Amino acid sequence: MTVLFGQLFTGISIGAVLLLIALGLALTFGQMNVINMAHGEFIMAGAYTTYVLQQSITGAGLSLVVALPVAFVVAGAMGVLLEILLIRRLYARPLDTLLVTWGVSLMLQQLARDIFGSPNVQTRAPEILTGNVALPGGLTIANNRLFILALALAAVAALTLALRLTPLGRRIRAVVQNRDLAAVSGIATSRVDRTTFFVGSGLAGLAGVALTLLGPIGPTMGTNLIIDAFLVVVVGGIGQLKGSVIVAFALGVLQATGEYLTTLSVAKVIVFVAIVAFLQWRPQGLFTLRTRSLA
Amino acid sequence: MSDERLDGLSVRDVRVSFDGFTAVDGVSLEVPAGDIRFLIGPNGAGKTTLVDAITGLVRATGSVRFGDEELLGRAVHRISRLGIGRTFQTSSVFEELSVLQNLDIAAGARRGWATLARRRRGIPDEVAAALETIGLAGRAEHLAGTLAHGQKQWLEIGMLLVQDARLLLLDEPVAGMSHEERDATGALLETVSRDRTVVVIEHDMDFLRRFARSVTVLHAGRVLSEGTVAQVQADPRVQEVYLGHPVDAGSAPTGREA
Amino acid sequence: MTAVTPAPPGTAVDPAPAGVLPPGRSPGRSRLRTAAGFAFGAALLFAVAPLVLSDFRLALLAKYLCVAMVAVGIGIAWGRGGMLTLGQGVFFGLGGYAMAMHLKLADAGPGGMPDFMQLYGQLDELPLWWRPFASPWFALPATVLLPMAVAFGLGSLVFRRRVRGAYFAILSQALAAAMVILLIGQQGTTGGTNGLTDIKGFFGYDLDDPVNQRMVYFIIAGTLLALLALTRQLIHSRYGELLVAVRDGEERVRFLGYDPATVKLVAYVVAAGMAGLAGALFVPAVGIISPALIGIVPSIEFVIGVAVGGRATLLGPVLGAVAVAWARTALSERFPGTWTYLQGLLFVVVVAFLPGGLASLWALARRRDDGAEPAPRGWSVLGRRRAGRTEVPAA
Ligand SMILES: Nc1ncnc2c1ncn2[C@@H]1O[C@H](COP(=O)(O)OP(=O)(O)OP(=O)(O)O)[C@@H](O)[C@H]1O
Ligand SMILES: [Mg+2]
């Protein structure tokens, strides 16, 4: 029983990380149908932001709190820049966008190497996040994992509310559902796109901050994350956040269970096979927006 | 094609719904072999969706038979191989292939892999015949993307001919055409219907009056009226649906959808 | 059609019109030109290169030509078929590992175990799945058939369910990631991160001997020419025209009575076979196969050469792949950082602003020479064009 709960929580905490790295992607992919391969490097940017802030702010707790908004803005600004310079010129060519942003991600990685050096760097976690919470039944849960879970859920909640309640959110949803109609209804779609990109990339920055609690920071950390993030979005279905939320946790639990029963590497293969099998059943992902448009 | 059977289309109680919205609501109609049936109705009446259902693009309940074959429940390409061909509201030729290549591909669904692996030499007979019929013999080598709008529509019809379709479902074939092009298209339909059954979705009432042999009016997913052009025009329900504008005033909505 | 699904592959508008002979050029003349082209290529690869290049450079060229074979396959799948496959490393790796396993076993002698297995010392005997590779009659066909089988398995599942465009690209990339993790995780039987190294013999020939290295080069050059001939036949065949039609209007093709899934599957499987063959020949040429050569990064690097040369052309992928691989060697040793920036820039500039690759510049120049004849739509160098895409609602 304890083992079961332990695995379940491991799965949920893997899922929380997946969710954090996929959330921004779900937003940008859903809205613009473009694949931004540099999303992983925005995560990296968030992580390095935390690292830099720790150089000047000595309190690990304070620097983490400061890093969250700063990383959001830094990564968001990078996203907007990318959107303006390249992505919006490529809207009708999603596959080409994928390759172009891959090129951008290569350059950003090298930039990180030039600034911070190739070896990984480490941040200090604040005192309160290093311990464990003991649950009845001998179960312990790491504080940093709990923090990440809370952060992921808070991000989902904030995003959902923003999409529902703010005028900007309504505009975003309108563009997701029918870009042309939104455009002729007087919505400045290109401004909405840019805002979406800012928020989506900013969320990657948040994820980067969270990841500093789990391991070292390095120039290539994004490459490994990006595929997992995309799989979450692809399986979750685009245009709606709830698909990504469910799938992130489901894949997390599957990965944890697979790891427990076999090994890490075999578990990865199991997850891949499960995804292909799932797409047999729902090729468009778990949730899809059903509209009819010839464009 | 004279050795082929001439079959009719029989649609019984077909329903299509999208997430609770019923776009086609129990439509039944019989199109006898060799007919030129016009399908009209206001925007959103379900005309295109009905054709989608017949060709397997959307899931539907009820029954659609062409000759002896039940169509519902089959995959799109299998329905096509039974001799059912369609065009789309938007032109859908392969713009980066030549006219000849477009037709050759349309002619080829029954070819084996041995033929597919080889290069096309010369022009197959049925393709040459179709090029004549649609009047594009002089442009065989041109990229389809460089054709005028009307010529693209004819190329689409030509593709149905070489495909050996015995039932042609044409979605607004003359939308956006000039008067001369419309006349040419009408003449083409008459030629083609000698050994085929033709269903045309059209908003152009002028075109309808000249070339329809029979008409079905759809409204809100149901059949509102059916008969000859004169009968349908005289039907008060039809006039009402067209917002009080009598159909024969020629002011019914014309093709405007892209 | 759901508006938010990834647009069909045709949207990644392909700049080069497919296999259409420009009007007025006779097939006879074109065949003559092809023959001349092949003769020229053969002379270059078989006579000029061995004469002017040192042994070291020739070995490098052999390596590049292997990359070019993968590129030819990507040209078919992506350039002609619209399937952006970001996981060709998987097939390259399957071919490479199959060959390396055989050569390792041959080096170890009958009944012997490869050196690394003894090193890790966890195994008393050869794992079951290694055994068939002792026989060349199994291993050699496996280098091609194994990748083809995997491509067939994955392809028939995803194409039939109309998983395409970006979705397909991501899945193919995830496959590469999964394969690398698996290889690294099973260190005892796969050599882990190191891969299979230190391969000394090639069917009885000592690979340290420069004469034998030369022979390997000739085998590779000959294979590449053969693959090019095959590809030429493929893209000019009726199937080749059909493949382009599927790329530009998958749903439309369905209504003509074809199953596009089958059409795409063939191209994908052929591309996988070519990558497998390339991997198999890479092993004797370079002496190693390892996860670092087949993962996400090398897989996507295979694509850049194709994009640079011209994805939809016959020779573009080969020339682009060789050029990029050569530039990489030339630059990355001296300025590793600079090369990474340059590579990134290549992706951005070529794909965004010259989607037809260098081939489209070449075509443009030729058209200038020919004079009057206006460029047909679709040759736009900037690839801003949206036409050429056949829209049909998807089920
Ligand atoms: N995939 C779909 N999802 C949701 N609703 C749909 C879908 N396809 C069609 N509809 C709806 O079904 C109704 C019928 O549409 P249909 O295109 O068949 O009309 P039509 O008679 O062809 O109209 P038009 O003359 O404008 O072409 C419309 O209200 C349309 O919005
Ligand atoms: Mg319609």
Side-chain angles (χ1 to χ4, degrees), chain A residues 290-294, chain B residues 14-19 21-25 46-64 70-77 79 86 88 169, chain C residues 1-2 162 251 254-255 392-395:
Chain A
R290 292 166 76 58
T291 57
R292 182 208 210 191
S293 131
L294 288 170
Chain B
V14 164
R15 276 167 217 277
V16 180
S17 52
F18 302 105
D19 298 327
F21 169 73
T22 308
V24 175
D25 192 6
K47 307 179 293 291
T48 301
T49 308
L50 179 61
V51 169
D52 287 350
I54 295 171
T55 53
L57 188 58
V58 298
R59 230 187 260 241
T61 59
S63 155
V64 176
E70 173 65 46
L71 304 185
L72 291 192
R74 293 186 196 237
V76 166
H77 66 278
I79 293 178
R86 73 173 288 188
F88 296 87
L169 304 161
Chain C
M1 178 180 194
T2 43
R162 304 180 200 181
E251 294 306 320
R254 209 183 291 283
F255 285 96
V392 167

Side-chain angles (χ1 to χ4, degrees), chain A residues 29-30 33 35 37 86 89-90 92-96 98-100 102-104 106-107 110-111 113-114 176-177 223 227 230-231 234 238 263 265-266 268-269 272 275-276 279-281 283-284 289-295, chain C residues 1-7 11-13 78 82 84 86 154 157-158 161 165-167 169-171 173-175 177-178 181-182 185-186 296 300 303 311 337 340-341 343-345 347-348 351-352 355 382-383 386 391 393:
Chain A
F29 189 26
N33 212 348
I35 294 221
M37 282 301 214
L86 287 172
R89 295 165 202 278
L90 296 170
R93 298 156 53 193
L95 290 186
D96 287 355
L98 190 159
L99 292 174
V100 167
W102 173 267
V104 172
L106 281 181
M107 292 192 274
Q110 188 56 36
L111 195 67
R113 250 178 239 124
D114 288 348
V176 170
Q177 285 172 19
T223 314
I227 296 193
F230 270 120
L231 289 180
V234 164
I238 53 179
T263 62
S265 58
V266 175
K268 281 275 178 196
V269 177
F272 179 77
I275 287 172
V276 172
L279 290 177
Q280 294 299 300
W281 174 52
Q284 309 285 333
L289 271 180
R290 292 166 76 58
T291 57
R292 182 208 210 191
S293 131
L294 288 170
Chain C
M1 178 180 194
T2 43
V4 285
T5 52
T11 0
V13 169
W78 177 41
L84 177 55
L86 299 179
L154 181 66
L157 286 180
V158 302
R161 294 302 287 153
Y167 283 35
I170 295 300
L171 270 189
Q173 193 171 39
L175 180 67
I181 291 172
L182 190 65
Q186 310 298 311
I296 299 174
I300 203 166
V303 173
R311 55 180 91 153
T340 312
Y341 283 123
Q343 197 186 16
L345 210 62
F347 267 106
V348 173
V351 178
L382 288 180
R386 274 161 174 256
E391 286 284 17

Side-chain angles (χ1 to χ4, degrees), chain B residues 11-236:
Chain B
V11 173
R12 294 227 181 88
D13 196 29
V14 164
R15 276 167 217 277
V16 180
S17 52
F18 302 105
D19 298 327
F21 169 73
T22 308
V24 175
D25 192 6
V27 167
S28 300
L29 48 93
E30 299 285 332
V31 184
D35 198 2
I36 301 185
R37 168 70 54 94
F38 271 59
L39 214 52
I40 63 169
N43 295 146
K47 307 179 293 291
T48 301
T49 308
L50 179 61
V51 169
D52 287 350
I54 295 171
T55 53
L57 188 58
V58 298
R59 230 187 260 241
T61 59
S63 155
V64 176
R65 302 183 79 82
F66 179 59
D68 301 328
E69 303 281 358
E70 173 65 46
L71 304 185
L72 291 192
R74 293 186 196 237
V76 166
H77 66 278
R78 304 223 175 269
I79 293 178
S80 159
R81 287 187 197 177
L82 291 175
I84 286 124
R86 73 173 288 188
T87 64
F88 296 87
Q89 250 169 294
T90 44
S91 141
S92 55
V93 296
F94 304 110
E95 308 216 331
E96 299 204 355
L97 295 175
S98 71
V99 170
L100 181 55
Q101 285 171 323
N102 267 281
L103 289 170
D104 188 64
I105 284 176
R110 290 182 190 79
R111 285 179 192 138
W113 282 102
T115 320
L116 277 180
R118 262 179 276 128
R119 200 183 264 250
R120 175 171 38 76
R121 305 240 176 257
I123 301 179
D125 292 343
E126 70 268 31
V127 172
L131 276 172
E132 277 317 316
T133 314
I134 60 175
L136 290 179
R139 316 208 54 169
E141 295 290 346
H142 288 252
L143 290 186
T146 64
L147 295 180
H149 173 73
Q151 291 173 322
K152 281 187 196 166
Q153 297 286 337
W154 295 334
L155 176 55
E156 293 227 35
I157 296 176
M159 287 164 75
L160 300 187
L161 299 184
V162 293
Q163 189 188 339
D164 231 6
R166 291 175 295 127
L167 171 66
L168 270 52
L169 304 161
L170 310 176
D171 201 347
E172 305 196 12
V174 302
M177 281 192 181
S178 70
H179 272 296
E180 296 74 37
E181 286 174 329
R182 277 166 207 238
D183 292 347
T185 309
L188 181 58
L189 288 189
E190 289 187 327
T191 320
V192 159
S193 71
R194 270 182 228 134
D195 40 19
R196 292 178 189 80
T197 308
V198 180
V199 175
V200 184
I201 297 177
E202 201 37 82
H203 285 283
D204 183 328
M205 292 302 138
D206 217 31
F207 186 70
L208 172 133
R209 268 193 296 273
R210 291 185 48 196
F211 297 105
R213 291 190 191 141
S214 61
V215 182
T216 299
V217 185
L218 286 188
H219 175 53
R222 295 165 186 271
V223 176
L224 186 71
S225 175
E226 195 167 281
T228 62
V229 177
Q231 285 166 340
V232 167
Q233 276 180 326
D235 189 329

